[in-house]
Amino acid sequence: MSRLSTERRLRFSIEQDYQLLTEILRQNPFQDVSRWKDVHENFVNECNVPFSLRTCKDHCNHLLNLYTKGSLKIRPKESPEEFLNKKSLLHDLLKLRNNNFNVDDYPSPSTKYENITNDKYSLKMVLKKEIKQDILEMSDSDEDDFYWKETEEKEEEKNMDIEEVLLKKKLELEERRLALKERRLQLEEERFELDKFERTKRMELERAERDLYIKVAMKNQEIITALTNRLVNKCNGDNLCIL
């Protein structure tokens, strides 16, 4: 199991694609393969990501193959200008690779093993060594798989769609929260108006009761005054009769 199997693998970013292709175009390692080390060192120092030399080579070939097949697609968040710039760099790199490609530099299987065909044991050891090297390279490629693949791009687009849905849900919840807040304020205003109406009616009732009390008191006072006057007048009449 690779060390990146349990976590999200790193990939070349849009800017790192540009940095790598620019450095390769500047160094032209197709003319001298020893320049790949300089390409790798400068690129890693610039992007500050520990890509391996093999990963840089494979990623360059991967992009060139996509460009050659016409399968190179614009990446999410990559502007049309950046995509055209990348295609221009790949076009120049493809010309460099084709101009510096020499079939004689790649020995055929017959010439590769011509010195050991008579020694079965040596041939077996060489084959075992190459198989072991291929396994190590495959393992290294698996651990340093920083490619951006179309399936991963689709997954990223899917994640973006999910984020849009979540954002939409969040906005809907925010709208509902604001609607509830407005309704709460409306209820508070209605309760305030009801309290105000109740206080007004209570004050009117108290005023009416006070006015009625005053009227009754005044009426009682008038009755008492009238009775008192009548009694006084009666007493005065009786005194005159006695005299």
Side-chain angles (χ1 to χ4, degrees):
M1 182 180 295
S2 67
R3 58 183 170 83
L4 296 178
S5 59
T6 58
E7 60 182 1
R8 182 176 178 84
R9 293 183 176 182
L10 297 175
R11 299 180 302 162
F12 282 85
S13 66
I14 298 172
E15 182 181 3
Q16 289 164 356
D17 280 349
Y18 174 79
Q19 292 171 344
L20 177 63
L21 296 177
T22 302
E23 185 63 27
I24 294 174
L25 186 62
R26 188 175 69 86
Q27 296 282 354
N28 189 12
F30 304 112
Q31 187 178 34
D32 184 359
V33 293
S34 63
R35 297 177 187 172
W36 274 111
K37 293 183 179 180
D38 296 331
V39 171
H40 173 249
E41 182 178 356
N42 294 338
F43 170 66
V44 170
N45 290 335
E46 184 177 6
C47 68
N48 198 26
V49 178
F51 294 110
S52 67
L53 175 59
R54 175 181 173 81
T55 298
C56 295
K57 290 182 180 180
D58 290 348
H59 189 62
C60 175
N61 292 329
H62 177 67
L63 293 176
L64 286 173
N65 290 337
L66 288 177
Y67 176 74
T68 304
K69 296 176 183 178
S71 302
L72 186 68
K73 298 180 180 179
I74 189 169
R75 299 177 61 178
K77 300 182 181 180
E78 183 177 25
S79 66
E81 292 78 8
E82 291 173 332
F83 183 63
L84 290 176
N85 192 17
K86 180 193 294 183
K87 292 179 69 175
S88 177
L89 290 173
L90 289 171
H91 176 74
D92 295 339
L93 284 177
L94 188 61
K95 288 176 61 177
L96 276 181
R97 189 175 72 172
N98 292 338
N99 292 337
N100 292 278
F101 181 76
N102 188 359
V103 178
D104 296 334
D105 294 337
Y106 298 87
S108 62
S110 59
T111 59
K112 185 176 182 180
Y113 302 113
E114 62 182 359
N115 296 326
I116 56 174
T117 51
N118 295 327
D119 189 345
K120 294 183 179 180
Y121 178 77
S122 298
L123 178 60
K124 184 177 180 181
M125 293 298 294
V126 170
L127 291 176
K128 287 179 65 177
K129 183 177 180 180
E130 290 190 351
I131 291 173
K132 184 177 180 180
Q133 182 66 26
D134 290 341
I135 293 175
L136 291 175
E137 290 178 353
M138 289 174 64
S139 176
D140 178 69
S141 177
D142 180 60
E143 291 184 355
D144 291 326
D145 185 12
F146 297 100
Y147 293 158
W148 60 272
K149 297 183 176 65
E150 185 176 358
T151 54
E152 293 180 348
E153 297 294 345
K154 291 181 179 179
E155 181 181 355
E156 185 172 346
E157 292 177 358
K158 183 179 179 181
N159 292 335
M160 292 176 63
D161 293 339
I162 293 176
E163 290 179 359
E164 291 179 358
V165 172
L166 292 176
L167 180 60
K168 184 177 179 180
K169 293 292 184 182
K170 183 178 180 180
L171 292 176
E172 291 177 354
L173 291 175
E174 187 67 19
E175 290 177 356
R176 290 182 60 185
R177 188 180 69 83
L178 292 175
L180 290 174
K181 186 176 181 180
E182 291 178 357
R183 180 57 180 167
R184 188 182 299 112
L185 291 175
Q186 183 180 359
L187 291 175
E188 290 290 338
E189 291 177 356
E190 292 178 357
R191 187 176 67 177
F192 175 78
E193 293 295 332
L194 288 175
D195 291 342
K196 182 179 178 182
F197 178 78
E198 182 182 0
R199 287 194 301 271
T200 302
K201 290 299 181 181
R202 187 183 300 113
M203 291 176 64
E204 291 177 355
L205 181 60
E206 291 176 354
R207 188 182 298 110
E209 290 178 351
R210 187 168 56 252
D211 293 342
L212 180 60
Y213 175 79
I214 293 173
K215 289 180 180 180
V216 171
M218 292 178 65
K219 190 67 176 178
N220 291 336
Q221 185 64 34
E222 290 177 358
I223 293 173
I224 292 172
T225 302
L227 291 174
T228 302
N229 292 334
R230 184 181 298 177
L231 181 61
V232 170
N233 292 332
K234 184 178 180 181
C235 290
N236 290 333
D238 292 341
N239 291 333
L240 290 174
C241 292
I242 293 173
L243 293 173

